Amino acid sequence: MAQVLVLNASYEPLNITTWRRATVLMLKGKAESLEEDSSRKIRNEIKLPTVIRLRHFIRIPYREIALTRKNILQRDNNSCQYCGYKGDKLSIDHVLPRSRGGSDTWENVTTACLPCNVFKGSRTPAEANMPLRKKPHRPLNTISFEANKQIDSGKHREWGKYVIGWNG
């Protein structure tokens, strides 16, 4: 089933829903279509939406995302940020090593494969001549996680301009 990115009136990602629910919101006048899949139509009239924006602002309480191994791996798309390896032998690396005063923060931890992590050791990426593919950052919300997975997989590249933190 096709997925649709739902944006708040302020263009902030809120949710990912089905095309059916998105179409109902549009028909009721509660949302407008921003991006459409021109190759797919509903009843030969309406193009299938891929991004919609709510007409009225919805206030969502702020929730900080926990710094956990699972969340770090998800943020980094389950791939080594040094060589691009995707697999089950991934670890968490401190950009500025803990032995040199590095802390456990979103901006200082990244995903690394075991060979890259061992090779880097207690050096910085610059000292080890290992540039990062993406700079580590604090994710803004859980929707950004799921949206980034969809964008990176190539399914919804058009979502990239609406999702902050996507560096494609």
Side-chain angles (χ1 to χ4, degrees):
M1 181 157 295
Q3 294 183 313
V4 179
L5 178 65
V6 180
L7 304 176
N8 210 339
S10 62
Y11 290 86
E12 173 189 10
L14 278 182
N15 192 11
I16 297 172
T17 190
T18 64
W19 67 267
R20 202 175 289 246
R21 175 74 177 131
T23 304
V24 168
L25 287 169
M26 288 170 34
L27 291 173
K28 286 184 171 184
K30 294 183 178 189
E32 63 181 330
S33 177
L34 298 179
E35 303 281 340
E36 298 168 338
D37 184 350
S38 58
S39 67
R40 299 170 80 185
K41 293 185 179 179
I42 304 166
R43 293 188 185 174
N44 297 329
E45 303 161 9
I46 304 170
K47 293 178 185 168
L48 188 76
T50 58
V51 178
I52 63 169
R53 183 178 76 92
L54 298 178
R55 293 188 188 272
H56 298 287
F57 184 80
I58 304 293
R59 187 171 167 1
I60 305 292
Y62 176 76
R63 283 190 344 212
E64 187 139 335
I65 298 173
L67 180 65
T68 64
R69 175 183 173 83
K70 178 183 174 188
N71 289 343
I72 295 165
L73 290 168
Q74 190 172 4
R75 177 199 66 186
D76 294 342
N77 199 24
N78 291 303
S79 65
C80 176
Q81 296 303 294
Y82 297 109
C83 71
Y85 167 81
K86 285 186 169 229
D88 58 349
K89 296 192 184 212
L90 292 171
S91 63
I92 304 302
D93 178 53
H94 287 76
V95 178
L96 177 63
R98 285 191 289 187
S99 63
R100 297 175 62 182
S103 58
D104 292 329
T105 63
W106 281 104
E107 296 78 13
N108 192 49
V109 292
T110 191
T111 305
C113 66
L114 294 178
C116 285
N117 204 349
V118 169
F119 179 79
K120 180 179 163 282
S122 61
R123 300 179 287 178
T124 65
E127 293 169 348
N129 196 24
M130 298 172 67
L132 285 164
R133 291 175 175 239
K134 287 184 182 177
K135 183 179 177 186
H137 65 281
R138 174 183 300 277
L140 296 178
N141 57 41
T142 55
I143 295 305
S144 294
F145 273 152
E146 182 59 34
N148 280 330
K149 285 193 328 194
Q150 295 286 331
I151 296 165
D152 290 338
S153 72
K155 289 182 184 174
H156 293 288
R157 305 286 293 172
E158 73 276 9
W159 291 6
K161 59 185 165 187
Y162 303 103
V163 179
I164 298 170
W166 185 72
N167 302 328

